[in-house]
Amino acid sequence: MSKLGPHVQFRLNLAEAGWRWCETAPIVKAMDDPVPLWRANTDAITVFRVYVNPVDRDHISPRSFLNMNIYRLQGFRLTYIESQNEWKAKGDWLLERITWETEFVKLAHTAGYKVAGFCFPTGNPEQQDWFLLRDNGFCDVDAVALHEYWGQQAFTGWNALRYRQVHEWLNGHHPPFIITECGRDAVEGCDGKPGWKLQGISTKQYVEELLAYDAEVSKDSYVLGATPFTLGATDDWRYFEVDSLAEELA
């Protein structure tokens, strides 16, 4: 059974094929505007993320961040709020993130929301940092959000499918994973340029790669779903767009 679903960046850019994918997918993630979550199947996992400018992320309190989400989510069915994106992912910074995340999760749970926490970038964090997260109870998050991108070398296990290494490090003792962004990118140790459309591959090849990734993810019960970046792409992310693939992916 497929675990692949749309990551919707800007719903006003969605064509009909994109809306159909939202209606049929096992997981739907929406940014800023939760309307695509209304179109999701009642059995689908739904994830919502508010965009915060990177220069402002250090200054957003857990309560303010939660309020930013609640303001947009009134009346929408939601499985998970996704916490701050790719922020303080490793080393000494992770200690600050643990403090922030613990407070955010406590507030979100009190308000009746589950949290897909951390939203780590591809290849992060390091092994010792995963142990630190484990020792802090993963801040009581309901799921761990991860990003997994790959390049010409495909699924190396240190970018895409790295979650399996994490699962092994932790002996399976962790919350479920959600791959809230995935796809082709310029990743460390791999040749390529940002976005699949700059990497000299055809639409057919990229669809095959996404379906191959889906097949791998679907083998692991501790992964709830994966959302390729991005449907409804804005112009600055046009080389990542999967709108042209939506009919085949749906």
Side-chain angles (χ1 to χ4, degrees):
M1 181 180 295
S2 173
K3 292 187 178 181
L4 207 66
H7 173 296
V8 183
Q9 184 180 36
F10 187 54
R11 61 108 172 170
L12 295 181
N13 287 345
L14 290 188
E16 187 55 37
W19 286 112
R20 284 199 299 272
W21 193 16
C22 291
E23 292 168 349
T24 60
I27 182 170
V28 180
K29 174 183 169 179
M31 285 184 59
D32 289 327
D33 182 349
V35 167
L37 306 181
W38 256 359
R39 299 285 288 267
N41 187 290
T42 55
D43 295 327
I45 294 168
T46 54
V47 182
F48 183 70
R49 177 166 85 81
V50 168
Y51 174 78
V52 176
N53 190 307
V55 301
D56 297 326
R57 287 183 295 190
D58 285 347
H59 311 295
I60 301 294
S61 71
R63 185 174 296 278
S64 295
F65 185 73
L66 178 62
N67 288 340
M68 291 168 66
N69 281 272
I70 291 175
Y71 174 76
R72 293 166 172 83
L73 286 169
Q74 298 297 326
F76 287 87
R77 182 185 70 82
L78 184 71
T79 314
Y80 299 98
I81 290 175
E82 188 173 24
S83 62
Q84 286 229 56
N85 183 59
E86 297 192 349
W87 175 65
K88 297 186 183 299
K90 59 184 178 180
D92 293 341
W93 284 357
L94 187 59
L95 290 169
E96 297 180 44
R97 180 62 186 264
I98 286 171
T99 300
W100 190 97
E101 198 86 12
T102 298
E103 179 63 18
F104 175 68
V105 172
K106 180 180 178 180
L107 292 168
H109 285 174
T110 299
Y113 293 97
K114 292 182 178 181
V115 175
F118 306 111
C119 200
F120 290 130
T122 299
N124 287 277
E126 303 297 339
Q127 182 177 7
Q128 66 271 19
D129 296 323
W130 283 107
F131 294 157
L132 179 62
L133 290 168
R134 178 199 59 196
D135 294 344
N136 282 273
F138 291 95
C139 305
D140 205 27
V141 300
D142 303 282
V144 174
L146 298 171
H147 294 172
E148 292 206 338
Y149 287 96
W150 59 88
Q152 301 290 349
Q153 299 177 36
F155 315 147
T156 67
W158 290 99
N159 43 64
L161 303 183
R162 186 173 186 273
Y163 70 80
R164 287 178 176 165
Q165 178 65 72
V166 175
H167 181 72
E168 182 178 325
W169 286 337
L170 298 172
N171 294 317
H173 300 304
H174 56 79
F177 296 140
I178 303 176
I179 314 302
T180 54
E181 288 185 24
C182 61
R184 275 271 196 153
D185 197 2
V187 297
E188 185 177 2
C190 298
D191 296 331
K193 298 178 180 180
W196 71 272
K197 299 187 85 170
L198 294 178
Q199 296 196 13
I201 61 173
S202 67
T203 297
K204 180 177 183 294
Q205 183 178 345
Y206 193 45
V207 168
E208 290 173 350
E209 287 186 1
L210 291 171
L211 295 180
Y213 184 73
D214 183 26
E216 290 299 320
V217 167
S218 296
K219 296 175 182 177
D220 299 314
S221 61
Y222 55 91
V223 180
L224 301 181
T227 56
F229 186 83
T230 182
L231 197 66
T234 55
D235 187 63
D236 49 338
W237 296 105
R238 62 190 180 277
Y239 298 121
F240 289 82
E241 66 84 14
V242 295
D243 302 82
S244 58
L245 320 178
E247 188 163 353
E248 293 174 87
L249 294 173

